[in-house]
Amino acid sequence: MASAVRTTLQHRVWRWHFFAGLMVIPFAVILAVTGAIYLFKPQFDAAVEARINARAAPLAGDILPADALVEAGLAAYPGGKLAKLTLPSDGADPTVEVDIRGEAGPRTLWVDRTTGEVLHKTSTPGRFMNFVKRIHGTLLAGDRGSLVVEIMASWMIILIVTGVYLWWPRGAAWWRVFVPKFGEGPGRRETWRKVHGMGGAWIGGVVLVILFFGLPWTQVWGDGFNKAKDLVGLKAPGQEWFVTLESGNPHADHSMHDMHAGMDHGTGAELWDQGKASDEVGVQSASGGAGAVAPLSLQAVLDLAAPERYAAPVEVQPPRGENGVWTIRSMAASRPDRITVHHDRWTGAELMRIEFTDHNPVDRFMALGVAFHEGALFGWLNQAVGVIATLGVILLSVTGGIMWWRRRPKGRLGTPPMPADKRLAVGVVVLILALCLFLPMAGVTLLAALVIDGLISAGNRLRRKAA
């Protein structure tokens, strides 16, 4: 009896694994390929910058002030505004990277620090690695594409869990899950099945970790994660510190702690990009700063930042609104080295400093995981692990597709039939519910699939009765 129930359960899990696999395979390959490419963003960007720097004048003369460099970039795009300035990674770098926003759209420019000449300019979204990132995160389809990616990533997690269950050796040593006997079993399909199972066993755990730490970027899961943190009181530094984050009115004497209206998640304190970089620092003051006191120049702000020795790359964002703040942020690959500092636009006084240790333990843990997902946690070895994982996903996709193609009847999908025994073990029901609650988009699509599957089965029964 127990054996019959187990066989029925395996059959049903295989059926779900089959449907999910057919749905996920093309998307898994796209995500794996783009993910593997994006792992090497630092090296690619460095190579691009080296080619541009080769055309720059030697740093033999005086270096122009940062304000002059920005003005040189803005001259090419009348009406544009500075979005951010990325500082040179070291003093020998002959160019500075300027991001501007205007009617022509976001642009990134490389400006010669000695001559002020714009050596190269490109559309910011059109930069190769930004393009790859948009494929990986949205399939170039915006929010709808992001939802599709979340659905597929959720089902990839379920595929690994169900695949381990189906592949686990019964009546044999546990280590056979990693080293199966290839000499047994008839036909090539059995060989493909063993390659598929062995591949999943070897890289499944790493892929699960990578997929899990990709969830904070997603719409539904990521939003739910943030709301869950709020419910248990795990707030980001910008939420829990009653700091105005405004530049003080140079003509008025008021406390920097006299208000906290408008505080939100947008304080530039994020440890990973949630796709809302353009709105990270949405802080401004209601009081004006016009008058005899002039606002601080960009170069003056950089002079303030120089002694800090921020870990590269370092971004500087200008004040937003009449009375906004200067923001200096280290975007180092190592999350513990990241720091964000806000400065008063009139006096340069430090208004707020957010370091890695200021974040709650959950965010710190997730940030390290996100860095692992990006291949940035422990250098080239992390990149190598990421490449192996992505190649493993491609291997599983290819071998799964080959198994389906070889077993399917000609001209038919080859769907595994429903088991005669429709019962489900209580443990399986609990597991399904737990996975669907943890991965809500998988739950929604599973419900839709069950409804469709039920309707198809009912239609088949009616046709058989009519015949």
Side-chain angles (χ1 to χ4, degrees):
M1 180 66 178
S3 177
V5 172
R6 184 168 59 250
T7 301
T8 298
L9 177 57
Q10 288 178 257
H11 192 98
R12 187 180 290 273
V13 172
W14 176 46
R15 180 178 170 85
W16 290 344
H17 190 84
F18 170 84
F19 280 122
L22 282 186
M23 174 182 69
V24 166
I25 280 176
F27 296 97
V29 172
I30 292 172
L31 295 179
V33 171
T34 54
I37 294 172
Y38 197 77
L39 286 169
F40 297 94
K41 181 179 184 297
Q43 290 89 339
F44 180 86
D45 287 349
V48 170
E49 188 169 339
R51 289 176 56 192
I52 297 171
N53 288 347
R55 295 156 45 197
L59 284 177
D62 293 333
I63 296 175
L64 293 174
D67 301 85
L69 297 175
V70 171
E71 286 300 321
L74 292 176
Y77 294 94
K81 293 183 178 180
L82 174 66
K84 70 178 179 182
L85 179 79
T86 303
L87 301 183
S89 56
D90 60 64
D93 193 335
T95 61
V96 67
E97 192 174 316
V98 180
D99 281 68
I100 64 174
R101 299 290 183 270
E103 293 182 359
R107 291 288 186 272
T108 301
L109 300 82
W110 284 262
V111 183
D112 190 309
R113 297 170 66 196
T114 302
T115 66
E117 179 186 358
V118 176
L119 298 176
H120 186 73
K121 53 189 175 182
T122 186
S123 165
T124 304
R127 294 179 68 175
F128 178 71
M129 282 299 176
N130 288 345
F131 178 69
V132 170
K133 183 179 181 180
R134 287 192 293 124
I135 297 176
H136 189 75
T138 69
L139 303 175
L140 302 180
D143 288 344
R144 292 181 180 178
S146 178
L147 283 175
V148 173
V149 170
E150 181 173 358
I151 290 170
M152 298 306 158
S154 300
W155 275 105
M156 285 173 69
I157 293 174
I158 294 176
L159 276 170
I160 292 174
V161 173
T162 56
V164 169
Y165 171 81
L166 291 170
W167 175 244
W168 196 263
R170 292 162 179 84
W174 65 268
W175 53 269
R176 282 298 180 189
V177 72
F178 298 103
V179 187
K181 291 182 179 180
F182 280 96
E184 298 180 350
R188 291 183 179 178
R189 182 172 174 271
E190 182 65 17
T191 300
W192 285 116
R193 188 184 75 86
K194 290 179 178 179
V195 172
H196 184 80
M198 182 180 66
W202 277 101
I203 60 93
V206 177
V207 174
L208 277 178
V209 172
I210 291 174
L211 288 170
F212 172 73
F213 286 114
L215 292 176
W217 279 301
T218 60
Q219 291 188 60
V220 177
W221 197 96
D223 185 58
F225 176 61
N226 287 331
K227 289 179 178 177
K229 287 190 298 178
D230 289 345
L231 285 175
V232 298
L234 294 174
K235 297 182 180 294
Q239 294 172 270
E240 61 194 22
W241 293 355
F242 290 155
V243 178
T244 305
L245 280 192
E246 299 167 346
S247 297
N249 185 337
H251 308 292
D253 182 16
H254 65 278
S255 170
M256 290 306 298
H257 296 264
D258 60 359
M259 61 180 288
H260 56 86
M263 292 300 298
D264 54 23
H265 295 269
T267 61
E270 290 86 351
L271 286 170
W272 59 87
D273 175 16
Q274 294 179 310
K276 300 178 181 178
S278 60
D279 297 325
E280 279 185 359
V281 185
V283 291
Q284 62 182 20
S285 171
S287 59
V293 179
L296 228 59
S297 67
L298 172 59
Q299 184 59 52
V301 174
L302 298 186
D303 292 340
L304 287 173
E308 292 278 354
R309 298 187 180 277
Y310 293 98
V314 180
E315 299 176 354
V316 182
Q317 293 182 339
R320 298 195 179 187
E322 179 62 25
N323 214 42
V325 298
W326 284 102
T327 299
I328 303 173
R329 176 184 298 115
S330 165
M331 295 298 290
S334 171
R335 267 30 180 207
D337 292 333
R338 289 194 172 184
I339 182 173
T340 298
V341 180
H342 300 287
H343 290 273
D344 186 289
R345 78 172 297 178
W346 307 101
T347 67
E350 182 179 309
L351 302 181
M352 186 178 189
R353 176 180 293 260
I354 304 171
E355 300 184 9
F356 184 77
T357 52
D358 295 319
H359 291 267
N360 63 69
V362 172
D363 277 347
R364 294 202 298 267
F365 173 74
M366 294 301 291
L368 294 175
V370 167
F372 176 73
H373 182 103
E374 294 176 328
L377 187 60
F378 42 87
W380 66 267
L381 183 58
N382 194 165
Q383 291 176 316
V385 170
V387 169
I388 292 171
T390 54
L391 290 176
V393 169
I394 294 172
L395 172 69
L396 293 176
S397 301
V398 171
T399 54
I402 291 174
M403 285 193 301
W404 162 69
W405 188 261
R406 293 181 66 86
R407 73 169 294 278
R408 71 181 184 88
K410 188 175 181 179
R412 294 171 58 188
L413 184 61
T415 305
M418 285 287 290
D421 190 340
K422 303 292 193 299
R423 291 176 298 175
L424 278 177
V426 174
V428 176
V429 174
V430 172
L431 177 60
I432 293 170
L433 290 175
L435 286 172
C436 290
L437 287 173
F438 180 69
L439 304 167
M441 291 309 297
V444 170
T445 50
L446 175 60
L447 180 61
L450 290 174
V451 170
I452 294 171
D453 194 25
L455 292 174
I456 292 174
S457 298
N460 290 336
R461 286 195 299 270
L462 288 174
R463 281 194 294 270
R464 285 195 295 269
K465 288 182 180 180

